Amino acid sequence: MIAVIDFETTGLSPAMGDRATEIAIVLLQSGQVVDRFQSLMNTGKHIPSFIETFTGISNAMLASAPSAQSVMCEASRFVGSIPMAAHNAAFDRRFWQAEMNQADQPSTQDFICTLLLSRRLYPQSPSHQLGRLVEFLNLPKAVRAHRAMADAEMATALLVQMQHDLRLTHGVNQPDHAFLRSVQRCAKYGLPALFAKQLAHSC
DNA sequence: TGCCAGGCCCTCTTTAGGGCCTT
């Protein structure tokens, strides 16, 4: 099981005071979506006008949203100890840890990054932005990008496609979270050896 | 629109610099 997460936020850095505005999580098991979690969240932080335009999430929408603390407690129960994935995971991991910390919840989940994986697996793609990758791979594109669930669904489709390509193209039987983590960490020139090792291990 | 940060990756590199990606 892998939990694919996406945050919408007021900016790029929790260390600079930015906060999450929306969270979406898709649970993926054996290539199938088995559950979803989504919520706006009110931290009391003002959303800059550029971000309102960018995400479509307004200060008025968050005024009636549940508190960040209650949403993150619910998200923590939803994910448990399941390993997580995100596109540019360094970004979502920072907000996950910062918001969990604010809500007095643990945040020990391991993350894999579909951005780093796509740079390894699809070096021919002209761009590794989530939307551009989805177009490059002919995957279903979200109608409303830059909303949390739409982006989480696209990242999930991307992850499923990468697992499929690892099986079909590279003969890897079970590209689970642990194996994806080794692909992500593997230097580009080392990938064929990694695939061969996994193939031999699974035979 | 892109600035703000942080991490990865590439190269005209490694005693560094800049592009990409996330909102």
PDB file of all heavy atoms in Angstrom, chain A residues 8-12 16-21 43-60 62, chain B residues 1-4 23:
ATOM      1  N   GLU A   8      -2.056  21.767  -1.237  1.00  0.00           N
ATOM      2  CA  GLU A   8      -2.059  23.146  -1.717  1.00  0.00           C
ATOM      3  C   GLU A   8      -1.687  23.996  -0.503  1.00  0.00           C
ATOM      4  O   GLU A   8      -2.089  23.684   0.630  1.00  0.00           O
ATOM      5  CB  GLU A   8      -3.432  23.548  -2.267  1.00  0.00           C
ATOM      6  CG  GLU A   8      -3.924  22.668  -3.414  1.00  0.00           C
ATOM      7  CD  GLU A   8      -2.939  22.558  -4.570  1.00  0.00           C
ATOM      8  OE1 GLU A   8      -2.364  23.578  -4.951  1.00  0.00           O
ATOM      9  OE2 GLU A   8      -2.734  21.435  -5.063  1.00  0.00           O
ATOM     10  N   THR A   9      -0.940  25.053  -0.721  1.00  0.00           N
ATOM     11  CA  THR A   9      -0.391  25.837   0.388  1.00  0.00           C
ATOM     12  C   THR A   9      -0.434  27.336   0.072  1.00  0.00           C
ATOM     13  O   THR A   9      -0.751  27.729  -1.049  1.00  0.00           O
ATOM     14  CB  THR A   9       1.077  25.441   0.662  1.00  0.00           C
ATOM     15  OG1 THR A   9       1.882  25.932  -0.417  1.00  0.00           O
ATOM     16  CG2 THR A   9       1.253  23.938   0.776  1.00  0.00           C
ATOM     17  N   THR A  10      -0.062  28.126   1.047  1.00  0.00           N
ATOM     18  CA  THR A  10      -0.021  29.591   0.838  1.00  0.00           C
ATOM     19  C   THR A  10       1.302  30.029   0.196  1.00  0.00           C
ATOM     20  O   THR A  10       1.455  31.203  -0.143  1.00  0.00           O
ATOM     21  CB  THR A  10      -0.187  30.345   2.167  1.00  0.00           C
ATOM     22  OG1 THR A  10       0.914  30.022   3.029  1.00  0.00           O
ATOM     23  CG2 THR A  10      -1.489  29.978   2.858  1.00  0.00           C
ATOM     24  N   GLY A  11       2.253  29.110   0.066  1.00  0.00           N
ATOM     25  CA  GLY A  11       3.557  29.462  -0.501  1.00  0.00           C
ATOM     26  C   GLY A  11       4.452  28.242  -0.529  1.00  0.00           C
ATOM     27  O   GLY A  11       3.987  27.106  -0.444  1.00  0.00           O
ATOM     28  N   LEU A  12       5.743  28.491  -0.603  1.00  0.00           N
ATOM     29  CA  LEU A  12       6.669  27.382  -0.852  1.00  0.00           C
ATOM     30  C   LEU A  12       7.349  26.840   0.394  1.00  0.00           C
ATOM     31  O   LEU A  12       7.918  25.754   0.353  1.00  0.00           O
ATOM     32  CB  LEU A  12       7.753  27.837  -1.843  1.00  0.00           C
ATOM     33  CG  LEU A  12       7.259  28.147  -3.249  1.00  0.00           C
ATOM     34  CD1 LEU A  12       8.397  28.711  -4.096  1.00  0.00           C
ATOM     35  CD2 LEU A  12       6.692  26.892  -3.894  1.00  0.00           C
ATOM     36  N   MET A  16       9.199  29.655   6.270  1.00  0.00           N
ATOM     37  CA  MET A  16       8.965  31.092   6.098  1.00  0.00           C
ATOM     38  C   MET A  16       7.552  31.483   6.540  1.00  0.00           C
ATOM     39  O   MET A  16       7.091  32.589   6.254  1.00  0.00           O
ATOM     40  CB  MET A  16       9.164  31.471   4.621  1.00  0.00           C
ATOM     41  CG  MET A  16      10.560  31.225   4.092  1.00  0.00           C
ATOM     42  SD  MET A  16      11.763  32.374   4.760  1.00  0.00           S
ATOM     43  CE  MET A  16      11.312  33.858   3.873  1.00  0.00           C
ATOM     44  N   GLY A  17       6.859  30.543   7.176  1.00  0.00           N
ATOM     45  CA  GLY A  17       5.527  30.848   7.695  1.00  0.00           C
ATOM     46  C   GLY A  17       4.388  30.404   6.817  1.00  0.00           C
ATOM     47  O   GLY A  17       3.217  30.652   7.141  1.00  0.00           O
ATOM     48  N   ASP A  18       4.685  29.768   5.693  1.00  0.00           N
ATOM     49  CA  ASP A  18       3.606  29.301   4.825  1.00  0.00           C
ATOM     50  C   ASP A  18       2.878  28.118   5.465  1.00  0.00           C
ATOM     51  O   ASP A  18       3.478  27.336   6.209  1.00  0.00           O
ATOM     52  CB  ASP A  18       4.171  28.905   3.449  1.00  0.00           C
ATOM     53  CG  ASP A  18       4.647  30.116   2.655  1.00  0.00           C
ATOM     54  OD1 ASP A  18       3.944  31.137   2.690  1.00  0.00           O
ATOM     55  OD2 ASP A  18       5.725  30.042   2.040  1.00  0.00           O
ATOM     56  N   ARG A  19       1.576  27.991   5.158  1.00  0.00           N
ATOM     57  CA  ARG A  19       0.748  26.934   5.734  1.00  0.00           C
ATOM     58  C   ARG A  19      -0.009  26.215   4.622  1.00  0.00           C
ATOM     59  O   ARG A  19      -0.193  26.732   3.523  1.00  0.00           O
ATOM     60  CB  ARG A  19      -0.259  27.524   6.729  1.00  0.00           C
ATOM     61  CG  ARG A  19       0.354  28.222   7.926  1.00  0.00           C
ATOM     62  CD  ARG A  19       1.111  27.263   8.843  1.00  0.00           C
ATOM     63  NE  ARG A  19       0.305  26.169   9.360  1.00  0.00           N
ATOM     64  CZ  ARG A  19      -0.413  26.204  10.475  1.00  0.00           C
ATOM     65  NH1 ARG A  19      -0.395  27.299  11.213  1.00  0.00           N
ATOM     66  NH2 ARG A  19      -1.124  25.148  10.878  1.00  0.00           N
ATOM     67  N   ALA A  20      -0.471  25.020   4.925  1.00  0.00           N
ATOM     68  CA  ALA A  20      -1.282  24.251   3.975  1.00  0.00           C
ATOM     69  C   ALA A  20      -2.699  24.819   3.934  1.00  0.00           C
ATOM     70  O   ALA A  20      -3.200  25.358   4.924  1.00  0.00           O
ATOM     71  CB  ALA A  20      -1.310  22.792   4.394  1.00  0.00           C
ATOM     72  N   THR A  21      -3.312  24.729   2.750  1.00  0.00           N
ATOM     73  CA  THR A  21      -4.709  25.170   2.592  1.00  0.00           C
ATOM     74  C   THR A  21      -5.620  24.011   2.221  1.00  0.00           C
ATOM     75  O   THR A  21      -6.817  24.064   2.442  1.00  0.00           O
ATOM     76  CB  THR A  21      -4.821  26.241   1.498  1.00  0.00           C
ATOM     77  OG1 THR A  21      -4.302  25.698   0.269  1.00  0.00           O
ATOM     78  CG2 THR A  21      -4.034  27.491   1.869  1.00  0.00           C
ATOM     79  N   THR A  43      -6.001  27.373   8.587  1.00  0.00           N
ATOM     80  CA  THR A  43      -4.906  27.621   9.536  1.00  0.00           C
ATOM     81  C   THR A  43      -4.955  29.044  10.079  1.00  0.00           C
ATOM     82  O   THR A  43      -4.182  29.386  10.982  1.00  0.00           O
ATOM     83  CB  THR A  43      -3.540  27.427   8.851  1.00  0.00           C
ATOM     84  OG1 THR A  43      -3.410  28.425   7.838  1.00  0.00           O
ATOM     85  CG2 THR A  43      -3.409  26.049   8.240  1.00  0.00           C
ATOM     86  N   GLY A  44      -5.805  29.884   9.499  1.00  0.00           N
ATOM     87  CA  GLY A  44      -5.844  31.288   9.884  1.00  0.00           C
ATOM     88  C   GLY A  44      -4.859  32.140   9.109  1.00  0.00           C
ATOM     89  O   GLY A  44      -4.840  33.359   9.242  1.00  0.00           O
ATOM     90  N   LYS A  45      -4.041  31.509   8.289  1.00  0.00           N
ATOM     91  CA  LYS A  45      -3.032  32.228   7.499  1.00  0.00           C
ATOM     92  C   LYS A  45      -3.691  32.819   6.242  1.00  0.00           C
ATOM     93  O   LYS A  45      -4.417  32.114   5.537  1.00  0.00           O
ATOM     94  CB  LYS A  45      -1.912  31.255   7.109  1.00  0.00           C
ATOM     95  CG  LYS A  45      -0.887  31.789   6.128  1.00  0.00           C
ATOM     96  CD  LYS A  45       0.223  32.534   6.814  1.00  0.00           C
ATOM     97  CE  LYS A  45       1.279  32.985   5.801  1.00  0.00           C
ATOM     98  NZ  LYS A  45       2.358  33.736   6.443  1.00  0.00           N
ATOM     99  N   HIS A  46      -3.398  34.071   5.961  1.00  0.00           N
ATOM    100  CA  HIS A  46      -3.949  34.735   4.782  1.00  0.00           C
ATOM    101  C   HIS A  46      -3.360  34.146   3.498  1.00  0.00           C
ATOM    102  O   HIS A  46      -2.152  33.891   3.420  1.00  0.00           O
ATOM    103  CB  HIS A  46      -3.662  36.235   4.845  1.00  0.00           C
ATOM    104  CG  HIS A  46      -4.186  36.995   3.666  1.00  0.00           C
ATOM    105  ND1 HIS A  46      -5.517  37.325   3.510  1.00  0.00           N
ATOM    106  CD2 HIS A  46      -3.551  37.478   2.562  1.00  0.00           C
ATOM    107  CE1 HIS A  46      -5.682  37.981   2.385  1.00  0.00           C
ATOM    108  NE2 HIS A  46      -4.507  38.093   1.782  1.00  0.00           N
ATOM    109  N   ILE A  47      -4.211  33.925   2.489  1.00  0.00           N
ATOM    110  CA  ILE A  47      -3.731  33.423   1.204  1.00  0.00           C
ATOM    111  C   ILE A  47      -3.428  34.602   0.286  1.00  0.00           C
ATOM    112  O   ILE A  47      -4.310  35.421   0.020  1.00  0.00           O
ATOM    113  CB  ILE A  47      -4.790  32.528   0.518  1.00  0.00           C
ATOM    114  CG1 ILE A  47      -5.239  31.414   1.450  1.00  0.00           C
ATOM    115  CG2 ILE A  47      -4.244  31.959  -0.779  1.00  0.00           C
ATOM    116  CD1 ILE A  47      -6.350  30.561   0.869  1.00  0.00           C
ATOM    117  N   PRO A  48      -2.193  34.716  -0.223  1.00  0.00           N
ATOM    118  CA  PRO A  48      -1.865  35.803  -1.160  1.00  0.00           C
ATOM    119  C   PRO A  48      -2.733  35.710  -2.412  1.00  0.00           C
ATOM    120  O   PRO A  48      -3.163  34.618  -2.806  1.00  0.00           O
ATOM    121  CB  PRO A  48      -0.391  35.554  -1.501  1.00  0.00           C
ATOM    122  CG  PRO A  48       0.119  34.646  -0.430  1.00  0.00           C
ATOM    123  CD  PRO A  48      -1.048  33.846   0.046  1.00  0.00           C
ATOM    124  N   SER A  49      -2.974  36.842  -3.057  1.00  0.00           N
ATOM    125  CA  SER A  49      -3.868  36.874  -4.218  1.00  0.00           C
ATOM    126  C   SER A  49      -3.341  35.999  -5.353  1.00  0.00           C
ATOM    127  O   SER A  49      -4.113  35.357  -6.074  1.00  0.00           O
ATOM    128  CB  SER A  49      -4.063  38.311  -4.695  1.00  0.00           C
ATOM    129  OG  SER A  49      -2.809  38.867  -5.033  1.00  0.00           O
ATOM    130  N   PHE A  50      -2.015  35.972  -5.501  1.00  0.00           N
ATOM    131  CA  PHE A  50      -1.450  35.120  -6.557  1.00  0.00           C
ATOM    132  C   PHE A  50      -1.804  33.656  -6.331  1.00  0.00           C
ATOM    133  O   PHE A  50      -2.160  32.927  -7.254  1.00  0.00           O
ATOM    134  CB  PHE A  50       0.079  35.284  -6.604  1.00  0.00           C
ATOM    135  CG  PHE A  50       0.774  34.204  -7.382  1.00  0.00           C
ATOM    136  CD1 PHE A  50       0.566  34.097  -8.749  1.00  0.00           C
ATOM    137  CD2 PHE A  50       1.602  33.284  -6.750  1.00  0.00           C
ATOM    138  CE1 PHE A  50       1.193  33.101  -9.478  1.00  0.00           C
ATOM    139  CE2 PHE A  50       2.232  32.290  -7.477  1.00  0.00           C
ATOM    140  CZ  PHE A  50       2.031  32.194  -8.843  1.00  0.00           C
ATOM    141  N   ILE A  51      -1.742  33.219  -5.080  1.00  0.00           N
ATOM    142  CA  ILE A  51      -2.057  31.829  -4.765  1.00  0.00           C
ATOM    143  C   ILE A  51      -3.563  31.565  -4.933  1.00  0.00           C
ATOM    144  O   ILE A  51      -3.957  30.486  -5.397  1.00  0.00           O
ATOM    145  CB  ILE A  51      -1.610  31.478  -3.324  1.00  0.00           C
ATOM    146  CG1 ILE A  51      -0.095  31.661  -3.182  1.00  0.00           C
ATOM    147  CG2 ILE A  51      -2.010  30.055  -2.952  1.00  0.00           C
ATOM    148  CD1 ILE A  51       0.742  30.666  -3.940  1.00  0.00           C
ATOM    149  N   GLU A  52      -4.386  32.551  -4.585  1.00  0.00           N
ATOM    150  CA  GLU A  52      -5.832  32.400  -4.809  1.00  0.00           C
ATOM    151  C   GLU A  52      -6.110  32.155  -6.290  1.00  0.00           C
ATOM    152  O   GLU A  52      -6.899  31.280  -6.653  1.00  0.00           O
ATOM    153  CB  GLU A  52      -6.579  33.658  -4.348  1.00  0.00           C
ATOM    154  CG  GLU A  52      -6.846  33.718  -2.853  1.00  0.00           C
ATOM    155  CD  GLU A  52      -7.864  34.810  -2.498  1.00  0.00           C
ATOM    156  OE1 GLU A  52      -7.928  35.826  -3.211  1.00  0.00           O
ATOM    157  OE2 GLU A  52      -8.575  34.626  -1.507  1.00  0.00           O
ATOM    158  N   THR A  53      -5.442  32.926  -7.143  1.00  0.00           N
ATOM    159  CA  THR A  53      -5.627  32.759  -8.593  1.00  0.00           C
ATOM    160  C   THR A  53      -5.054  31.427  -9.062  1.00  0.00           C
ATOM    161  O   THR A  53      -5.646  30.733  -9.889  1.00  0.00           O
ATOM    162  CB  THR A  53      -4.920  33.915  -9.346  1.00  0.00           C
ATOM    163  OG1 THR A  53      -5.410  35.143  -8.841  1.00  0.00           O
ATOM    164  CG2 THR A  53      -5.160  33.829 -10.834  1.00  0.00           C
ATOM    165  N   PHE A  54      -3.902  31.065  -8.510  1.00  0.00           N
ATOM    166  CA  PHE A  54      -3.182  29.863  -8.948  1.00  0.00           C
ATOM    167  C   PHE A  54      -3.961  28.591  -8.610  1.00  0.00           C
ATOM    168  O   PHE A  54      -4.083  27.681  -9.439  1.00  0.00           O
ATOM    169  CB  PHE A  54      -1.811  29.844  -8.268  1.00  0.00           C
ATOM    170  CG  PHE A  54      -0.900  28.739  -8.724  1.00  0.00           C
ATOM    171  CD1 PHE A  54      -0.348  28.757  -9.996  1.00  0.00           C
ATOM    172  CD2 PHE A  54      -0.582  27.698  -7.869  1.00  0.00           C
ATOM    173  CE1 PHE A  54       0.499  27.745 -10.415  1.00  0.00           C
ATOM    174  CE2 PHE A  54       0.274  26.682  -8.272  1.00  0.00           C
ATOM    175  CZ  PHE A  54       0.809  26.705  -9.559  1.00  0.00           C
ATOM    176  N   THR A  55      -4.502  28.517  -7.392  1.00  0.00           N
ATOM    177  CA  THR A  55      -5.158  27.283  -6.940  1.00  0.00           C
ATOM    178  C   THR A  55      -6.678  27.355  -7.012  1.00  0.00           C
ATOM    179  O   THR A  55      -7.344  26.323  -7.022  1.00  0.00           O
ATOM    180  CB  THR A  55      -4.772  26.961  -5.477  1.00  0.00           C
ATOM    181  OG1 THR A  55      -5.315  27.971  -4.625  1.00  0.00           O
ATOM    182  CG2 THR A  55      -3.268  26.887  -5.306  1.00  0.00           C
ATOM    183  N   GLY A  56      -7.222  28.560  -7.027  1.00  0.00           N
ATOM    184  CA  GLY A  56      -8.681  28.694  -6.964  1.00  0.00           C
ATOM    185  C   GLY A  56      -9.203  28.558  -5.544  1.00  0.00           C
ATOM    186  O   GLY A  56     -10.414  28.558  -5.319  1.00  0.00           O
ATOM    187  N   ILE A  57      -8.309  28.445  -4.574  1.00  0.00           N
ATOM    188  CA  ILE A  57      -8.716  28.352  -3.160  1.00  0.00           C
ATOM    189  C   ILE A  57      -8.631  29.757  -2.560  1.00  0.00           C
ATOM    190  O   ILE A  57      -7.553  30.357  -2.526  1.00  0.00           O
ATOM    191  CB  ILE A  57      -7.801  27.380  -2.386  1.00  0.00           C
ATOM    192  CG1 ILE A  57      -7.919  25.977  -2.980  1.00  0.00           C
ATOM    193  CG2 ILE A  57      -8.170  27.375  -0.907  1.00  0.00           C
ATOM    194  CD1 ILE A  57      -6.902  24.988  -2.419  1.00  0.00           C
ATOM    195  N   SER A  58      -9.775  30.264  -2.116  1.00  0.00           N
ATOM    196  CA  SER A  58      -9.830  31.653  -1.646  1.00  0.00           C
ATOM    197  C   SER A  58      -9.863  31.714  -0.122  1.00  0.00           C
ATOM    198  O   SER A  58     -10.164  30.731   0.555  1.00  0.00           O
ATOM    199  CB  SER A  58     -11.072  32.336  -2.209  1.00  0.00           C
ATOM    200  OG  SER A  58     -12.233  31.740  -1.658  1.00  0.00           O
ATOM    201  N   ASN A  59      -9.590  32.909   0.400  1.00  0.00           N
ATOM    202  CA  ASN A  59      -9.703  33.130   1.844  1.00  0.00           C
ATOM    203  C   ASN A  59     -11.140  32.886   2.310  1.00  0.00           C
ATOM    204  O   ASN A  59     -11.355  32.353   3.406  1.00  0.00           O
ATOM    205  CB  ASN A  59      -9.259  34.555   2.178  1.00  0.00           C
ATOM    206  CG  ASN A  59      -7.749  34.709   2.062  1.00  0.00           C
ATOM    207  OD1 ASN A  59      -7.000  34.193   2.893  1.00  0.00           O
ATOM    208  ND2 ASN A  59      -7.286  35.405   1.039  1.00  0.00           N
ATOM    209  N   ALA A  60     -12.118  33.240   1.462  1.00  0.00           N
ATOM    210  CA  ALA A  60     -13.525  33.017   1.824  1.00  0.00           C
ATOM    211  C   ALA A  60     -13.825  31.530   1.956  1.00  0.00           C
ATOM    212  O   ALA A  60     -14.563  31.100   2.858  1.00  0.00           O
ATOM    213  CB  ALA A  60     -14.426  33.658   0.766  1.00  0.00           C
ATOM    214  N   LEU A  62     -11.775  29.190   2.870  1.00  0.00           N
ATOM    215  CA  LEU A  62     -11.156  28.616   4.065  1.00  0.00           C
ATOM    216  C   LEU A  62     -11.817  29.094   5.356  1.00  0.00           C
ATOM    217  O   LEU A  62     -11.670  28.451   6.405  1.00  0.00           O
ATOM    218  CB  LEU A  62      -9.660  28.949   4.106  1.00  0.00           C
ATOM    219  CG  LEU A  62      -8.807  28.283   3.031  1.00  0.00           C
ATOM    220  CD1 LEU A  62      -7.329  28.392   3.385  1.00  0.00           C
ATOM    221  CD2 LEU A  62      -9.178  26.812   2.836  1.00  0.00           C
TER     222      LEU A  62
ATOM    223  P    DT B   1       0.007  34.403 -14.421  1.00  0.00           P
ATOM    224  OP1  DT B   1      -0.622  34.815 -15.638  1.00  0.00           O
ATOM    225  OP2  DT B   1      -0.222  33.240 -13.658  1.00  0.00           O
ATOM    226  O5'  DT B   1       1.569  34.733 -14.441  1.00  0.00           O
ATOM    227  C5'  DT B   1       2.135  35.314 -15.579  1.00  0.00           C
ATOM    228  C4'  DT B   1       3.550  35.689 -15.223  1.00  0.00           C
ATOM    229  O4'  DT B   1       3.521  36.780 -14.262  1.00  0.00           O
ATOM    230  C3'  DT B   1       4.312  34.551 -14.531  1.00  0.00           C
ATOM    231  O3'  DT B   1       5.652  34.574 -15.005  1.00  0.00           O
ATOM    232  C2'  DT B   1       4.221  34.903 -13.047  1.00  0.00           C
ATOM    233  C1'  DT B   1       4.238  36.411 -13.082  1.00  0.00           C
ATOM    234  N1   DT B   1       3.527  37.047 -11.941  1.00  0.00           N
ATOM    235  C2   DT B   1       4.157  38.061 -11.259  1.00  0.00           C
ATOM    236  O2   DT B   1       5.284  38.448 -11.536  1.00  0.00           O
ATOM    237  N3   DT B   1       3.443  38.597 -10.234  1.00  0.00           N
ATOM    238  C4   DT B   1       2.167  38.257  -9.828  1.00  0.00           C
ATOM    239  O4   DT B   1       1.642  38.813  -8.888  1.00  0.00           O
ATOM    240  C5   DT B   1       1.561  37.198 -10.590  1.00  0.00           C
ATOM    241  C7   DT B   1       0.178  36.735 -10.236  1.00  0.00           C
ATOM    242  C6   DT B   1       2.255  36.655 -11.592  1.00  0.00           C
ATOM    243  P    DG B   2       6.609  33.362 -14.596  1.00  0.00           P
ATOM    244  OP1  DG B   2       7.571  33.217 -15.700  1.00  0.00           O
ATOM    245  OP2  DG B   2       5.808  32.196 -14.154  1.00  0.00           O
ATOM    246  O5'  DG B   2       7.388  33.917 -13.334  1.00  0.00           O
ATOM    247  C5'  DG B   2       8.070  35.158 -13.443  1.00  0.00           C
ATOM    248  C4'  DG B   2       8.560  35.581 -12.076  1.00  0.00           C
ATOM    249  O4'  DG B   2       7.451  36.030 -11.273  1.00  0.00           O
ATOM    250  C3'  DG B   2       9.230  34.443 -11.284  1.00  0.00           C
ATOM    251  O3'  DG B   2      10.401  34.952 -10.681  1.00  0.00           O
ATOM    252  C2'  DG B   2       8.189  34.088 -10.235  1.00  0.00           C
ATOM    253  C1'  DG B   2       7.554  35.448  -9.992  1.00  0.00           C
ATOM    254  N9   DG B   2       6.225  35.394  -9.386  1.00  0.00           N
ATOM    255  C8   DG B   2       5.224  34.499  -9.656  1.00  0.00           C
ATOM    256  N7   DG B   2       4.148  34.706  -8.947  1.00  0.00           N
ATOM    257  C5   DG B   2       4.466  35.792  -8.158  1.00  0.00           C
ATOM    258  C6   DG B   2       3.700  36.487  -7.176  1.00  0.00           C
ATOM    259  O6   DG B   2       2.551  36.241  -6.809  1.00  0.00           O
ATOM    260  N1   DG B   2       4.408  37.542  -6.618  1.00  0.00           N
ATOM    261  C2   DG B   2       5.685  37.896  -6.960  1.00  0.00           C
ATOM    262  N2   DG B   2       6.206  38.931  -6.311  1.00  0.00           N
ATOM    263  N3   DG B   2       6.415  37.259  -7.867  1.00  0.00           N
ATOM    264  C4   DG B   2       5.740  36.233  -8.425  1.00  0.00           C
ATOM    265  P    DC B   3      11.452  33.916 -10.058  1.00  0.00           P
ATOM    266  OP1  DC B   3      12.695  34.082 -10.840  1.00  0.00           O
ATOM    267  OP2  DC B   3      10.832  32.572  -9.909  1.00  0.00           O
ATOM    268  O5'  DC B   3      11.685  34.493  -8.598  1.00  0.00           O
ATOM    269  C5'  DC B   3      12.117  35.848  -8.450  1.00  0.00           C
ATOM    270  C4'  DC B   3      11.663  36.385  -7.120  1.00  0.00           C
ATOM    271  O4'  DC B   3      10.234  36.521  -7.118  1.00  0.00           O
ATOM    272  C3'  DC B   3      11.948  35.471  -5.931  1.00  0.00           C
ATOM    273  O3'  DC B   3      13.259  35.704  -5.444  1.00  0.00           O
ATOM    274  C2'  DC B   3      10.914  35.926  -4.920  1.00  0.00           C
ATOM    275  C1'  DC B   3       9.782  36.459  -5.779  1.00  0.00           C
ATOM    276  N1   DC B   3       8.568  35.618  -5.737  1.00  0.00           N
ATOM    277  C2   DC B   3       7.582  35.918  -4.794  1.00  0.00           C
ATOM    278  O2   DC B   3       7.780  36.867  -4.022  1.00  0.00           O
ATOM    279  N3   DC B   3       6.469  35.154  -4.736  1.00  0.00           N
ATOM    280  C4   DC B   3       6.310  34.145  -5.582  1.00  0.00           C
ATOM    281  N4   DC B   3       5.191  33.433  -5.501  1.00  0.00           N
ATOM    282  C5   DC B   3       7.297  33.815  -6.549  1.00  0.00           C
ATOM    283  C6   DC B   3       8.415  34.571  -6.593  1.00  0.00           C
ATOM    284  P    DC B   4      13.982  34.461  -4.738  1.00  0.00           P
ATOM    285  OP1  DC B   4      15.338  34.941  -4.422  1.00  0.00           O
ATOM    286  OP2  DC B   4      13.788  33.263  -5.578  1.00  0.00           O
ATOM    287  O5'  DC B   4      13.185  34.226  -3.372  1.00  0.00           O
ATOM    288  C5'  DC B   4      13.320  35.167  -2.318  1.00  0.00           C
ATOM    289  C4'  DC B   4      12.345  34.814  -1.213  1.00  0.00           C
ATOM    290  O4'  DC B   4      11.018  34.803  -1.754  1.00  0.00           O
ATOM    291  C3'  DC B   4      12.556  33.425  -0.621  1.00  0.00           C
ATOM    292  O3'  DC B   4      13.386  33.516   0.518  1.00  0.00           O
ATOM    293  C2'  DC B   4      11.148  33.018  -0.192  1.00  0.00           C
ATOM    294  C1'  DC B   4      10.242  33.840  -1.091  1.00  0.00           C
ATOM    295  N1   DC B   4       9.538  33.024  -2.125  1.00  0.00           N
ATOM    296  C2   DC B   4       8.190  32.713  -1.934  1.00  0.00           C
ATOM    297  O2   DC B   4       7.635  33.128  -0.907  1.00  0.00           O
ATOM    298  N3   DC B   4       7.550  31.963  -2.852  1.00  0.00           N
ATOM    299  C4   DC B   4       8.202  31.539  -3.927  1.00  0.00           C
ATOM    300  N4   DC B   4       7.527  30.812  -4.806  1.00  0.00           N
ATOM    301  C5   DC B   4       9.575  31.849  -4.144  1.00  0.00           C
ATOM    302  C6   DC B   4      10.208  32.586  -3.220  1.00  0.00           C
ATOM    303  P    DT B  23       1.970  22.067  -6.862  1.00  0.00           P
ATOM    304  OP1  DT B  23       0.828  21.210  -6.561  1.00  0.00           O
ATOM    305  OP2  DT B  23       2.207  22.563  -8.229  1.00  0.00           O
ATOM    306  O5'  DT B  23       1.935  23.351  -5.907  1.00  0.00           O
ATOM    307  C5'  DT B  23       1.749  23.178  -4.503  1.00  0.00           C
ATOM    308  C4'  DT B  23       1.680  24.530  -3.820  1.00  0.00           C
ATOM    309  O4'  DT B  23       2.938  25.211  -4.009  1.00  0.00           O
ATOM    310  C3'  DT B  23       0.644  25.490  -4.377  1.00  0.00           C
ATOM    311  O3'  DT B  23      -0.612  25.244  -3.780  1.00  0.00           O
ATOM    312  C2'  DT B  23       1.198  26.834  -3.938  1.00  0.00           C
ATOM    313  C1'  DT B  23       2.702  26.611  -4.028  1.00  0.00           C
ATOM    314  N1   DT B  23       3.328  27.171  -5.255  1.00  0.00           N
ATOM    315  C2   DT B  23       3.788  28.466  -5.232  1.00  0.00           C
ATOM    316  O2   DT B  23       3.687  29.176  -4.255  1.00  0.00           O
ATOM    317  N3   DT B  23       4.357  28.901  -6.396  1.00  0.00           N
ATOM    318  C4   DT B  23       4.512  28.179  -7.556  1.00  0.00           C
ATOM    319  O4   DT B  23       5.039  28.667  -8.533  1.00  0.00           O
ATOM    320  C5   DT B  23       3.998  26.818  -7.516  1.00  0.00           C
ATOM    321  C7   DT B  23       4.110  25.953  -8.733  1.00  0.00           C
ATOM    322  C6   DT B  23       3.438  26.387  -6.387  1.00  0.00           C
TER     323       DT B  23
END
